[in-house]
Amino acid sequence: TNMTIIQTPRLELVPFSAGFLRASLAGNLVEAERLLGAKLPAGWPDDPWLYERRLAQLEEDPSLLGWLVRGVVLRETRSLVGRIGFHTGPRPEYLRELSPEGIELGYTVLASHRRQGIATEASDALMNWARTEHGIRHFIVSISPENVPSRALAAKFGFRKIGSHID
């Protein structure tokens, strides 16, 4: 099932279910934490616009659950330290010209947990899941030129620049 939690040595990548997203957006953080199985950081939800968009995608197509957005949970403390996921399901129309077999990856790690290899560990695990479970071989990341740590992470995974655009 797509509710599969991806395990790494330190992390669990837990899909953000429609129920979790609804509870988060409604400010019902007790319920959101129960559904996620982890403590939420101060200021949650950090990006309501993104979560509203992902909830709409999930409501339209529940099979996107494992693809869209996952919490990066630090197993040791059972706390949410970031998020990772794909912007769509596999082979979206908008990537047809750049990478017809591709899928776009995005991630964020809380400032308090950066520079500890969490984004690398989570990205490696999510791409490995897409590769081994679903045969995905091409991944896209969109990174601001100023985001030096993300550019270094992309280089570590062998990403190369295939285009640029003004967002």
Side-chain angles (χ1 to χ4, degrees), residues 77-155:
T77 58
R78 298 291 331 145
S79 54
L80 184 71
V81 297
R83 65 170 183 263
I84 190 167
F86 299 108
H87 296 348
T88 60
R91 298 169 199 86
E93 182 66 35
Y94 81 98
L95 287 178
R96 181 168 285 166
E97 285 185 25
L98 272 179
S99 178
E101 296 296 309
I103 189 168
E104 189 172 359
L105 173 71
Y107 49 83
T108 301
V109 174
L110 295 179
S112 57
H113 287 78
R114 289 183 188 147
R115 316 291 312 148
Q116 298 171 31
I118 288 173
T120 300
E121 191 172 320
S123 297
D124 187 46
L126 189 62
M127 288 188 289
N128 189 52
W129 171 82
R131 192 180 299 112
T132 58
E133 303 289 317
H134 302 282
I136 303 295
R137 298 245 173 291
H138 299 94
F139 301 93
I140 305 280
V141 286
S142 297
I143 302 169
S144 160
E146 294 82 49
N147 190 337
V148 175
S150 267
R151 287 175 48 205
L153 183 148

Side-chain angles (χ1 to χ4, degrees), residues 10 21 27-28 32-34 43 47 56 58 60 105 121:
R10 294 182 292 169
L21 291 169
N28 186 349
E33 287 183 332
R34 186 188 71 75
D47 193 345
L58 269 180
E60 189 178 312
L105 173 71
E121 191 172 320

Side-chain angles (χ1 to χ4, degrees), residues 45-66:
D46 58 329
D47 193 345
W49 177 84
L50 173 75
Y51 301 135
E52 284 165 9
R53 196 163 152 187
R54 295 296 178 252
L55 178 58
Q57 286 173 282
L58 269 180
E59 286 171 336
E60 189 178 312
D61 182 358
S63 75
L64 291 175
L65 181 61

